[in-house]
């Protein structure tokens, strides 16, 4: 009798949303940095996302320049023309799933728009805004 | 009782990409196969460096250009393209081992390389002298238009650019059409 066994590697997915853990980390950090901190605010997040600033290229730019004002809409990288899928996890379930990717883009995008990294509070606020819209 | 275990190996073994089309006169894309060095790092490169534009073929630039590019990602043509340290090292390894001056390259890759002054470190493929020569006849308005934006957007005109095929029959300039010279 012959048996053929196919060995494959099945990745194990952890079910709890990784973004929740990240928000908790950011919260702990925000409390350390700001004694008056009393939780993240989607309203402040919206302000961070939609307000214009003199960015890395010396021109006025906001998060909406590439992602549009509608988080469920397809955006476009203003520097290269490449399309960007919607940021909202409600429109695009792949969003905010991979923490390494989330951290990488927050770092890059804050540098482009604010010419500095975001604080823990700013990152939490803006993530909450994206999650809720 | 016999058991045959077949492990399934995922990973690119000896990935090569063939350059199709051969132009009789200038033999632009000779029917040769380019061997990819460090092929197992190719998926990482393609993933990380195609987020804002296509992943350009490493054979278009010499090693010194890739080295400088990977060292200056915090200001990459006016945008922040920084990458995790470990990934960045691997990508540089992939790019420099496949650079135009690291292995035998043919056709346009070779012409591009030969046209770069030895004392210059070009940062854009689209700034290489031979590139400029090949593209000089295209009217500016077809480059500035929103469907193209700049020469960096190879795919807007070269429909098979992703697979390294830039032959003339696959050129289609938006709002202009096919290119016959």
């Amino acid at each position: 009798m012959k048996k053929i066994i196919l060995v494959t590697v099945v990745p194990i997915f952890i079910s709890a949303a990784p973004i929740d853990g990240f928000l908790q980390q950011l919260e702990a950090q925000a409390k350390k940095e700001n004694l008056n901190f009393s939780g993240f605010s989607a309203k402040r997040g919206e302000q961070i996302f939609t307000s214009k600033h003199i960015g890395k290229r010396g021109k006025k730019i906001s998060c909406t320049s590439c992602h549009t004002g509608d988080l469920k809409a397809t955006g476009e990288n203003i520097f290269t023309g490449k399309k960007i899928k919607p940021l909202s996890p409600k429109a695009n379930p792949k969003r905010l799933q991979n923490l390494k990717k989330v951290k990488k883009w927050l770092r890059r995008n804050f540098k482009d728009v604010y010419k500095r990294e975001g604080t823990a509070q700013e990152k939490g606020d803006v993530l909450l805004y994206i999650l809720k819209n | 009782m016999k058991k045959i275990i077949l492990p399934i190996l995922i990973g690119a073994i000896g990935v090569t990409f063939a350059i199709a089309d051969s132009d009789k006169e200038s033999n632009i894309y000779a029917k040769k196969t380019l061997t990819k060095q460090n092929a197992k790092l190719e998926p990482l490169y393609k993933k990380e460096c195609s987020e804002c534009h296509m992943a350009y073929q490493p054979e278009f630039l010499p090693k010194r250009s890739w080295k400088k590019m990977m060292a200056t990602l915090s200001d990459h043509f006016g945008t922040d393209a920084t990458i995790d340290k470990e990934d960045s090292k691997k990508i540089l390894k992939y790019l420099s081992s496949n650079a135009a001056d690291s292995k035998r390259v043919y056709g346009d890759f070779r012409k591009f390389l030969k046209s770069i002054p030895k004392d210059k470190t070009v940062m854009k493929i689209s700034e290489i002298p031979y590139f400029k020569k090949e593209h000089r006849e295209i009217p500016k308005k077809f480059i500035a238009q929103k469907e193209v934006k700049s020469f960096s957007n190879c795919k807007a005109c070269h429909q098979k650019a992703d697979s390294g095929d830039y032959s003339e029959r696959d050129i289609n300039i938006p709002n202009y059409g096919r290119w016959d010279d």
Side-chain angles (χ1 to χ4, degrees):
Chain A
M1 186 180 106
K2 274 186 193 164
K3 273 188 195 160
I4 299 172
I5 301 173
L6 295 175
V7 183
T8 54
V9 180
V10 181
I12 297 161
F13 294 104
I14 294 146
S15 56
I19 196 71
D20 295 337
F22 184 47
L23 281 169
Q24 279 164 17
Q25 278 174 36
L26 288 172
E27 191 174 354
Q29 180 83 22
K31 274 181 190 150
K32 270 191 234 158
E33 289 167 4
N34 174 6
L35 295 176
N36 297 320
F37 177 80
S38 61
F40 294 127
S41 143
K43 198 157 174 66
R44 282 199 308 260
E46 178 172 13
Q47 182 65 24
I48 292 165
F49 201 79
T50 57
S51 57
K52 285 196 168 131
H53 305 268
I54 302 286
K56 197 180 183 72
R57 290 195 176 190
K59 291 200 183 122
K60 275 201 169 168
I61 177 176
S62 69
C63 307
T64 60
S65 304
C66 294
H67 293 297
T68 81
D70 176 359
L71 290 166
K72 293 196 184 71
T74 297
E76 182 181 313
N77 189 321
I78 49 166
F79 301 138
T80 62
K82 188 169 170 171
K83 294 272 178 285
I84 304 174
K85 294 195 180 119
L87 263 197
S88 166
K90 286 177 191 157
N92 179 0
K94 286 197 186 134
R95 288 300 184 200
L96 310 186
Q97 291 294 313
N98 178 341
L99 286 190
K100 190 175 167 190
K101 181 170 179 185
V102 172
K103 289 179 192 169
K104 176 176 78 181
W105 282 101
L106 284 176
R107 181 184 70 232
R108 288 175 174 173
N109 291 165
F110 264 95
K111 284 277 184 71
D112 276 6
V113 177
Y114 288 83
K115 292 196 285 189
R116 59 169 174 81
E117 291 210 25
T119 64
Q121 179 172 327
E122 285 169 329
K123 288 189 231 172
D125 287 345
V126 88
L127 286 175
L128 192 64
Y129 168 69
I130 295 171
L131 281 167
K132 284 198 167 170
N133 284 274
Chain B
M1 186 180 101
K2 270 190 202 155
K3 276 184 193 165
I4 303 169
I5 299 176
L6 296 173
I8 296 177
L9 292 179
I10 305 164
I13 304 166
V15 173
T16 55
F17 83 87
I19 296 174
D21 190 49
S22 80
D23 184 323
K24 273 162 243 101
E25 245 174 276
S26 50
N27 205 14
I28 301 279
Y29 279 113
K31 276 209 177 83
K32 291 238 167 74
T33 299
L34 276 185
T35 310
K36 281 285 178 206
Q37 307 297 321
N38 289 302
K40 65 178 193 306
L41 298 176
E42 188 173 55
L44 176 71
Y45 166 67
K46 288 206 165 157
K47 177 167 152 274
E48 290 295 332
C49 299
S50 69
E51 294 171 314
C52 302
H53 47 62
M54 65 168 272
Y56 304 106
Q57 284 73 32
E59 291 86 355
F60 272 123
L61 289 172
K63 210 172 358 182
R64 61 183 183 280
S65 298
W66 291 125
K67 232 174 155 176
K68 186 169 172 192
M69 196 162 314
M70 293 308 292
T72 53
L73 288 178
S74 63
D75 192 352
H76 179 73
F77 306 99
T79 198
D80 187 306
T82 47
I83 287 176
D84 164 289
K85 253 205 187 119
E86 283 306 305
D87 290 345
S88 180
K89 264 197 221 155
K90 289 181 190 156
I91 291 169
L92 177 58
K93 188 171 165 193
Y94 172 76
L95 289 170
S96 43
S97 62
N98 288 290
D101 53 350
S102 292
K103 63 183 192 190
R104 248 194 108 60
V105 294
Y106 309 95
D108 280 334
F109 290 147
R110 213 169 135 72
K111 291 186 183 158
F112 275 49
L113 176 68
K114 286 177 117 179
S115 76
I116 304 171
K118 294 264 181 307
D119 60 341
K120 281 241 166 66
T121 304
V122 286
M123 296 297 273
K124 278 189 165 180
I125 300 159
S126 55
E127 278 168 5
I128 296 174
Y130 189 79
F131 179 100
K132 289 192 184 162
K133 185 169 163 270
E134 279 286 305
H135 295 84
R136 70 178 182 268
E137 283 169 26
I138 306 167
K140 283 210 167 58
K141 66 170 181 184
F142 292 119
I143 297 144
Q145 61 175 331
K146 68 175 190 323
E147 292 87 344
V148 180
K149 275 182 107 103
S150 87
F151 268 131
S152 306
N153 198 359
C154 320
K155 250 168 56 169
C157 304
H158 295 278
Q159 296 167 309
K160 294 188 182 164
D162 265 338
S163 60
D165 186 348
Y166 293 86
S167 49
E168 241 171 82
R169 59 153 189 259
D170 290 310
I171 298 174
N172 192 351
I173 305 178
N175 301 313
Y176 175 88
R178 315 204 68 79
W179 185 265
D180 297 300
D181 60 358

